[in-house]
Amino acid sequence: MRALSSAAAVRTATGRVRDPRLDFFRGVGMLIILTAHIPYDGWALWIPARFGFSDATEMFVFQSGMASSIAFGSTFDRAGMLAFVARVAQRIWQIFWAHIAVFVVLVAIMAAAGTRPDGVSYLESLNLLPFIRDPGSLMGSLLTLRYVPNYFDILPMYIVVLALMPVMVLAERCHRGLPFLLMAGLWLAEQFGFTGFSAEPWSERTWFFGPLGWQLLFFTGFFLMRGSLPHPGFDRRLMLLAIAFVFLSVPFAWVRFFEMHPFFKTAAQEIAFLTDKSHFGALRFVHFLALCYIAVHVVGEKGSRLRGPAVRVLTVVGQQSLAVFITGMVVAQIIGIALDHVGRNPLAEAVANLAGFAILVATAYFVRWFKSSPWKV
């Protein structure tokens, strides 16, 4: 899929017009996620997550839902449930092996890197020592997603959410409102602790990202793109309300306010269950929807204000988000290792982050070129 222009829509293989805002913001999200994943990166102090309840994870999940509606929803409409389930299963298969590959590659890199300057082994920094000590017994848990160290938990969450997609589409076929009842019920079950996926055999720890909580955001994007949810048009009062909510959330999320007065820190602790990332608390959902509403209207009708070379580059990055994401997971740790040894001064961090961005952009363009089957020319 190629970007036709910064403001023009992208047409899918099925003839549907793809909103250019989707790929642009996915590209922005990929760069933010890279910065967030680099250990002890000074640039991470300035990503959106530091100033509000939601972050780039919400961008990834919500936009994945929208993209899945385009990629898979049309298969159901065109070829029926069996073809739809088969295509979803194929995607789950791809993501599963991407997850395993990232895990194996990072174990190898961390083992080769040895020990950080502070004496902590890189394997220990990602809680990988249990696997190194007993790979035989943990291999089965790894392959069945019962061993999921924290750094590796977003793709397993994505797998579970994708597996729910046929259930939600079938529910929609039964009754237009049924999938929304299911979404709400699963989310509430997550909030009250009735669900949980084991993250390691030797403890009660569960996955950091609870799939049944995060599915609420994924399927909001899915059904919004599918047309089952109405697209909110511009309303001045709603825009003012969204802006007010975003600004009012800053004192309860930004650490500088916590340092200014204990009230803000205490208040943030009191509402922590509403901003919890693992279970996808309600305020994260509201905060992200407010940001989304602002961003969608700032860039203009159908992204009419998205112009220029930077927009085109980020659009390509967004179109190849899975390849870019898994590359970023590996590159972020390599950058962290490099910064451990050269020092974390402003110049080194700037060079490291910009180099990481360049690698993600190069990955996106390479994957796009590879998908175009240049050997057939």
Side-chain angles (χ1 to χ4, degrees):
M1 199 178 296
R2 299 176 183 275
L4 302 179
S5 73
S6 59
V10 176
R11 188 170 294 276
T12 68
T14 60
R16 292 184 61 181
V17 174
R18 179 158 172 156
D19 194 319
R21 294 171 292 188
L22 172 61
D23 292 322
F24 170 74
F25 284 116
R26 288 178 95 186
V28 172
M30 290 300 103
L31 301 190
I32 296 172
I33 288 172
L34 173 70
T35 298
H37 277 164
I38 296 173
Y40 308 107
D41 183 14
W43 282 31
L45 297 175
W46 302 101
I47 61 176
R50 302 294 174 260
F51 305 96
F53 303 136
S54 65
D55 58 29
T57 309
E58 276 81 1
M59 294 175 67
F60 177 82
V61 174
F62 180 75
Q63 291 161 356
S64 293
M66 298 180 76
S68 294
S69 179
I70 296 171
F72 305 123
S74 60
T75 300
F76 173 77
D77 297 333
R78 187 179 66 256
M81 178 57 75
L82 183 60
F84 173 65
V85 170
R87 191 166 183 195
V88 171
Q90 180 192 41
R91 188 59 167 172
I92 290 173
W93 183 253
Q94 292 171 340
I95 294 171
F96 172 79
W97 286 111
H99 165 67
I100 299 300
V102 169
F103 180 86
V104 172
V105 168
L106 278 175
V107 167
I109 290 172
M110 294 312 207
T115 304
R116 296 188 322 204
D118 62 2
V120 176
S121 75
Y122 285 105
L123 288 168
E124 185 179 353
S125 70
L126 288 184
N127 195 26
L128 296 173
L129 285 179
F131 183 82
I132 295 298
R133 290 171 183 150
D134 193 9
S137 65
L138 283 180
M139 184 60 71
S141 297
L142 175 69
L143 293 175
T144 54
L145 302 181
R146 290 181 296 112
Y147 172 54
V148 182
N150 276 349
Y151 188 72
F152 304 91
D153 45 19
I154 193 165
L155 291 181
M157 177 266 284
Y158 190 30
I159 287 171
V160 174
V161 173
L162 284 178
L164 287 171
M165 207 186 318
V167 177
M168 293 298 180
V169 170
L170 187 60
E172 184 189 34
R173 175 58 63 92
C174 294
H175 189 280
R176 189 182 181 94
L178 184 55
F180 303 106
L181 289 177
L182 289 176
M183 289 160 57
L186 292 173
W187 179 80
L188 285 171
E190 180 77 37
Q191 304 312 301
F192 288 100
F194 297 141
T195 62
F197 293 76
S198 175
E200 52 197 23
W202 60 85
S203 79
E204 298 297 317
R205 188 174 70 84
T206 57
W207 293 4
F208 180 77
F209 291 106
L212 301 188
W214 282 87
Q215 57 78 32
L216 178 68
L217 186 60
F218 178 92
F219 288 113
T220 298
F222 182 88
F223 287 114
L224 185 67
M225 184 60 74
R226 193 160 170 77
S228 303
L229 283 173
H231 290 247
F234 179 80
D235 183 287
R236 185 170 177 272
R237 291 168 299 179
L238 188 56
M239 176 62 77
L240 290 174
L241 183 62
I243 293 172
F245 183 84
V246 169
F247 275 98
L248 289 174
S249 70
V250 173
F252 307 100
W254 193 19
V255 68
R256 298 302 183 196
F257 279 89
F258 299 169
E259 296 168 351
M260 287 169 52
H261 196 282
F263 166 78
F264 297 109
K265 185 176 182 179
T266 301
Q269 291 171 343
E270 290 293 326
I271 63 171
F273 72 101
L274 295 173
T275 62
D276 181 72
K277 189 169 186 177
S278 291
H279 303 298
F280 189 56
L283 285 181
R284 297 186 72 92
F285 187 51
V286 177
H287 184 265
F288 176 76
L289 292 182
L291 279 176
C292 189
Y293 186 81
I294 295 167
V296 162
H297 292 292
V298 164
V299 300
E301 181 73 18
K302 296 183 178 179
S304 60
R305 298 191 183 101
L306 294 176
R307 300 188 182 95
V311 169
R312 290 192 290 271
V313 169
L314 287 170
T315 296
V316 175
V317 172
Q319 289 167 359
Q320 312 301 336
S321 59
L322 178 60
V324 170
F325 176 78
I326 61 178
T327 299
M329 288 187 70
V330 174
V331 168
Q333 294 302 316
I334 295 174
I335 290 174
I337 293 168
L339 287 174
D340 283 340
H341 291 87
V342 302
R344 282 177 167 75
N345 58 70
L347 177 59
E349 288 184 339
V351 170
N353 281 273
L354 293 175
F357 295 165
I359 291 171
L360 297 193
V361 170
T363 298
Y365 275 89
F366 173 75
V367 171
R368 188 182 73 162
W369 172 81
F370 194 81
K371 287 182 177 179
S372 71
S373 302
W375 49 84
K376 293 182 179 179
V377 177

